[in-house]
Amino acid sequence: MKHTTELLTISLALSFALCAPALTAATLNVCPTGCTYSDVQAAVTAANSGDTVLVGPGTYTAIQKAQLGYLQGIFDIVANGVTVKSTNGAANTILQVGNASFQPTVRIQGNNVVLDGFTIQGSPVGVAAISQTAPIHAISGVVLRNLIVNPVVSSSIGGGQGILLDNTSNSVVENCDIKNA
């Protein structure tokens, strides 16, 4: 009986080890050509908690879609625990809106999200950490680092908010340059 119990225990342990999902975080690479992703939003959407989206130098332009609601981002980071980071810094990596919009260029809805090393431009709100989906919840642990934010101020679409942190806690804004475009 003892031998059978030990064999069953070993079999169960091996089954769990072989069937369990990998616990390692992934790195998703984005660049204009030659990477797994050429679209920042596609990589961010594919990212899971703990993953890093590394964005190579270039200008990444998104177009506002008509169905977007108030303060829904053009680049939308929804997952918790995702890091989106440029490989060559803000001067070389640009996230921008390709049409006039009152939507934020980047909206963060997830907790513990890091956005690091981008120029963000093309809309009246550069980055918004805000939950607009039901149920409305507080967002925690957002880190905005090494950003150049150029909000558009226009008489037709208003704006001029570089970074909007609404209903957030434990957030950090570090080494960010907010300009008046």
Side-chain angles (χ1 to χ4, degrees), residues 44-91:
V44 167
T45 300
N48 296 306
S49 183
D51 289 352
T52 299
V53 176
L54 285 179
V55 182
T59 298
Y60 301 87
T61 303
I63 304 296
Q64 177 189 355
K65 291 138 191 97
Q67 71 272 18
L68 294 180
Y70 177 69
L71 287 180
Q72 184 168 349
I74 306 302
F75 294 97
D76 225 3
I77 306 170
V78 178
N80 293 324
V82 172
T83 296
V84 182
K85 181 177 176 139
S86 71
T87 60
N88 284 51

Side-chain angles (χ1 to χ4, degrees), residues 5 15 21 23 25-26 31 33 58 91 95 134 152 173 181:
T5 304
S15 295
L23 298 177
C31 61
T33 59
L95 302 179
V152 173
V173 177

Side-chain angles (χ1 to χ4, degrees), residues 11-22:
S11 295
L12 286 172
L14 282 173
S15 295
F16 285 123
L18 294 175
C19 295

